[in-house]
């Protein structure tokens, strides 16, 4: 009995040891990426300010400077850029380590089903981040800059001048929020298609809950984006479009699954199932009638 317990615990210890090694490798890769980004955080921050500077230049504002409200704010901006950039740089290596840990426990068909989504997920995230950076953020920042006002004299509307003097840390926080929000929202087709491949959702079911999905997307747009109608509207249109694309992808997965099962002779149509149910009901009725007849015969013999 003791030998059986020791044999059963040995694989668990080996798995935990492998998990520890891969986590250590992932942490080391993240730290290396973080150090690299820390050494070049200033050029990275200059790149991230392009949407703001472009929006200000279109308004005739040549000065595109941000200020430090707190003494330590510049340091924390550098750390934030290092953390975010380090995660992006090390993500391919981290995902590879996750795959190497999970892959031995999967069947060949499961590996073939899961591996494409492992590549599609970062690609869709970068597409969403690029869409946010080059399309959404310039529109949003132009909207926000519209609330500046220039002082008027001699019958003007206002004597108060309101100029934008943005906080360095607050701008970075808002920019990262945009990038992460759109990057995660672009994961919707990947997630729903993977769930459809696993049989957890169906195209028919997604169509049935479409109205609830619209409400959920509106709530999501209100939460993850700043309180301006333009950005919320863009996010809603994009995510709802991705939802409709996901329905088509799930339907395509179902068609392929049905064709494969038909080729293997394992597919049964609903009509056949209904006929089988009707035959079963007829058999049950015949058995009941036979039991009633047998009971009446026994009473007659008595």
């Amino acid at each position: 009995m003791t030998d059986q317990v020791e044999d059963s615990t040995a694989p668990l210890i080996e798995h935990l040891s492998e998990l520890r090694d891969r986590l250590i490798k992932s942490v080391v890769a993240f730290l290396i990426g973080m150090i690299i980004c820390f050494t070049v955080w200033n050029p990275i921050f200059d790149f991230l300010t392009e949407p703001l500077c472009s929006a200000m230049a279109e308004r005739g504002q040549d000065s595109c400077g941000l200020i430090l409200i707190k003494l330590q704010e510049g340091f924390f901006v550098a750390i934030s850029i290092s953390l975010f950039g380090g995660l992006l740089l090390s993500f391919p290596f981290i995902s590879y380590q996750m795959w190497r840990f999970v892959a031995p426990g999967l069947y060949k068909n499961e590996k073939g089903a899961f591996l494409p989504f492992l590549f599609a997920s970062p690609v869709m995230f970068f597409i969403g981040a690029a869409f946010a950076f080059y399309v959404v953020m310039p529109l949003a920042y132009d909207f926000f800059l519209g609330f500046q006002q220039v002082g008027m004299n001699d019958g003007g509307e206002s004597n108060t001048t309101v100029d934008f003097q943005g906080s360095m840390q607050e701008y970075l926080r808002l920019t990262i929020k945009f990038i992460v929000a759109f990057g995660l929202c672009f994961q919707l087709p990947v997630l729903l298609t993977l769930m459809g491949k696993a049989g957890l959702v169906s195209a028919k079911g997604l169509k049935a809950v479409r109205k609830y999905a619209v409400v959920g997307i509106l709530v999501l747009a209100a939460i993850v984006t700043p309180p301006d109608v333009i950005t919320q509207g863009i996010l809603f249109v994009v995510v709802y479009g991705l939802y409709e694309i996901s329905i088509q992808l799930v339907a395509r997965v179902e068609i392929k699954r049905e064709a494969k099962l038909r080729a293997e002779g394992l597919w049964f149509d609903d009509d056949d199932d209904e006929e089988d149910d009707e035959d079963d009901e007829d058999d049950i009725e015949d058995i009941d009638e036979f039991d009633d007849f047998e009971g009446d015969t026994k009473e007659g013999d008595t």
Side-chain angles (χ1 to χ4, degrees), residues 269-280:
D269 294 327
D270 294 337
D271 296 337
D272 297 337
D273 295 337
E274 292 177 359
E275 291 178 359
D276 293 339
D277 294 338
E278 291 177 358
D279 293 338
D280 293 339

Side-chain angles (χ1 to χ4, degrees), residues 80-153:
S80 299
I81 292 176
S82 302
L83 291 172
F84 187 65
L87 181 60
L88 292 180
L89 286 180
S90 61
F91 180 78
F93 182 80
I94 294 174
S95 61
Y96 173 75
Q97 293 299 319
M98 293 172 56
W99 170 252
R100 292 289 296 171
F101 179 73
V102 175
L106 300 176
Y107 292 104
K108 185 177 180 180
N109 58 342
E110 292 175 340
K111 291 180 182 179
F114 183 75
L115 192 58
F117 296 97
L118 189 63
F119 287 102
S121 181
V123 171
M124 292 301 296
F125 181 88
F126 281 109
I127 292 176
F131 180 81
F133 187 81
Y134 291 105
V135 177
V136 179
M137 287 167 55
L139 295 175
Y141 293 162
D142 182 69
F143 174 81
F144 293 145
L145 291 172
F147 290 93
Q148 299 178 104
Q149 65 181 36
V150 181
M152 299 290 182
N153 293 320

Side-chain angles (χ1 to χ4, degrees), residues 125-284:
F125 181 88
F126 281 109
I127 292 176
F131 180 81
F133 187 81
Y134 291 105
V135 177
V136 179
M137 287 167 55
L139 295 175
Y141 293 162
D142 182 69
F143 174 81
F144 293 145
L145 291 172
F147 290 93
Q148 299 178 104
Q149 65 181 36
V150 181
M152 299 290 182
N153 293 320
D154 299 332
E157 297 180 356
S158 175
N159 292 324
T160 304
T161 301
V162 179
D163 292 327
F164 170 72
Q165 293 181 344
S167 166
M168 189 178 184
Q169 189 173 15
E170 185 62 30
Y171 173 79
L172 179 65
R173 184 182 295 114
L174 182 61
T175 300
I176 292 178
K177 185 178 181 181
F178 269 116
I179 293 174
V180 173
F182 278 84
L184 293 179
C185 288
F186 270 65
Q187 300 295 313
L188 184 63
V190 180
L191 178 61
L192 291 181
T193 306
L194 182 61
M195 293 176 66
K197 205 169 187 64
L200 299 177
V201 297
S202 64
K204 183 178 180 181
L206 293 176
K207 292 178 181 178
V209 299
R210 183 183 278 119
K211 57 183 179 181
Y212 302 106
V214 171
V215 177
I217 294 171
L218 286 172
V219 174
L220 177 67
I223 293 175
V224 302
T225 56
D228 68 289
V229 180
I230 297 176
T231 308
Q232 292 177 0
I234 293 175
L235 182 60
F236 170 76
V237 171
V238 171
V239 176
Y240 181 73
L242 293 174
Y243 184 81
E244 293 294 334
I245 293 174
S246 301
I247 294 177
Q248 301 302 319
L249 292 175
V250 173
R252 185 178 179 183
V253 168
E254 292 175 345
I255 292 173
K256 289 184 177 180
R257 184 192 300 126
E258 179 181 347
K260 181 179 178 181
L261 293 176
R262 285 184 182 276
E264 296 175 354
L266 300 176
W267 180 264
F268 299 97
D269 294 327
D270 294 337
D271 296 337
D272 297 337
D273 295 337
E274 292 177 359
E275 291 178 359
D276 293 339
D277 294 338
E278 291 177 358
D279 293 338
D280 293 339
E281 292 177 358
D282 294 337
D283 293 339
I284 293 173

